[in-house]
Amino acid sequence: MSELSLDRILQSQGFGSRKWCRQLISDGEVAIGGQVITDFKSAFETTNLSFTLFEEEWLYREHVYIALHKPPNMECSRKPSHHPGVLTILPEQFSWRDVQPVGRLDHDTTGLLLLSDDGAFIHAQSSPKRHVPKRYLATTFDPINEKLIAQLKNGVQLHDEPAPLAAISCEQIGEHQCEIILEQGKYHQVKRMLAAAGNHCTALARIAIGELTLQHLELESGEWCFLEESEIALLR
Ligand code: URA
């Protein structure tokens, strides 16, 4: 349980500097339980607190855990160079509260991307020790055959890697499509593994992280949602 003054609450949620948040409150833009609060020093218990700002309702969240269905031609970097950054899809206050992608997808890779402002969560999810399996749907230039599937499952040697890398599982889905589950998250890993096995990846989508699937989240390309406790648990 923790009580915070309304200006601190707004600031913690990424709605701007303390000074700006005080101004919003004094201007009568913030309401709690249907009542406009103009005293920025008024304190509220933050657990399950909901408030409206400019008549839009928000739930207080100590940290945010977000799933985004990443569209193509967007970069995960916070300082993108050639394509717009994925953070531009989210409301501005998430950048203020330092929300960042958990790991990266290539600019042309689509699918499930997690974002958060919880450093411990980001660290745990990105740690190579965690072995969170990531499931990808890869489309290839050449038809897929049993030899390719076997190579990916047995391990292929990538440049700069000390030992061959293997998929946990690899299943043919169509003539030019396979589902690959990887435990590691090396740079361009799926594309490089397919290239090392003699094929070429023409499209790549991440469809699941741990047990959390895009299908379960029902997100269209470019859509995002907050993850609730039960969904975060699927990542462990
Ligand atoms: N493997 C890749 O090659 N690219 C990605 O974006 C993710 C995994």
Side-chain angles (χ1 to χ4, degrees):
M1 303 286 259
S2 69
E3 241 189 33
L4 283 180
S5 59
L6 192 52
D7 56 347
R8 280 182 187 274
I9 289 175
L10 285 197
Q11 189 187 15
S12 73
Q13 302 302 287
F15 289 106
S17 66
R18 181 90 65 86
K19 191 170 166 209
W20 173 245
C21 291
R22 286 181 174 181
Q23 188 65 52
L24 292 174
I25 298 163
S26 310
D27 288 350
E29 303 294 359
V30 185
I32 293 184
Q35 194 188 339
V36 173
I37 313 287
T38 50
D39 178 3
F40 61 75
K41 290 198 271 338
S42 310
F44 295 88
E45 169 53 47
T46 53
T47 311
N48 297 327
L49 176 72
S50 72
F51 59 92
T52 57
L53 173 63
F54 297 121
E55 294 179 5
E56 189 171 351
E57 182 146 17
W58 296 95
L59 183 66
Y60 174 89
R61 293 172 194 265
E62 188 181 349
H63 288 297
V64 288
Y65 305 92
I66 291 167
L68 167 71
H69 185 161
K70 180 189 172 294
N73 303 320
M74 297 203 91
E75 291 181 26
C76 290
S77 162
R78 288 208 287 173
K79 292 200 176 123
S81 44
H82 299 295
H83 303 273
V86 288
L87 286 168
T88 58
I89 295 179
L90 303 176
E92 205 186 347
Q93 72 266 23
F94 293 140
S95 298
W96 273 87
R97 59 186 292 180
D98 214 18
V99 166
Q100 38 187 299
V102 181
R104 292 195 179 178
L105 291 175
D106 299 335
H107 81 273
D108 54 353
T109 300
T110 60
L112 182 55
L113 180 70
L114 305 178
L115 301 104
S116 180
D117 61 350
D118 179 349
F121 173 79
I122 296 173
H123 180 73
Q125 282 296 316
S126 323
S127 163
K129 291 189 194 127
R130 281 286 304 274
H131 302 302
V132 182
K134 314 236 167 43
R135 183 154 25 120
Y136 297 90
L137 182 63
T139 307
T140 58
F141 183 78
D142 292 317
I144 290 168
N145 52 33
E146 279 178 20
K147 185 174 165 226
L148 177 105
I149 300 287
Q151 277 177 290
L152 295 179
K153 288 210 274 204
N154 294 334
V156 286
Q157 184 64 52
L158 302 184
H159 206 61
D160 293 344
E161 287 299 327
L165 293 176
I168 303 180
S169 114
C170 185
E171 204 183 319
Q172 182 158 6
I173 302 294
E175 199 186 349
H176 288 263
Q177 273 196 329
C178 61
E179 228 180 75
I180 304 176
I181 302 182
L182 296 182
E183 235 175 30
Q184 318 88 347
K186 310 270 181 197
Y187 183 64
H188 292 329
Q189 188 171 342
V190 174
K191 293 174 187 165
R192 288 163 69 213
M193 284 177 73
L194 282 165
N199 206 319
H200 172 68
C201 182
T202 55
L204 185 62
R206 182 156 69 192
I207 52 179
I209 300 175
E211 297 294 315
L212 183 69
T213 65
L214 256 191
Q215 199 179 9
H216 159 96
L217 294 166
E218 295 182 1
L219 294 174
E220 297 293 330
S221 178
E223 286 183 345
W224 64 274
C225 65
F226 289 111
L227 291 176
E228 302 308 333
E229 280 294 326
S230 59
E231 292 163 330
I232 295 169
L234 297 173
L235 297 165
R236 292 185 186 119

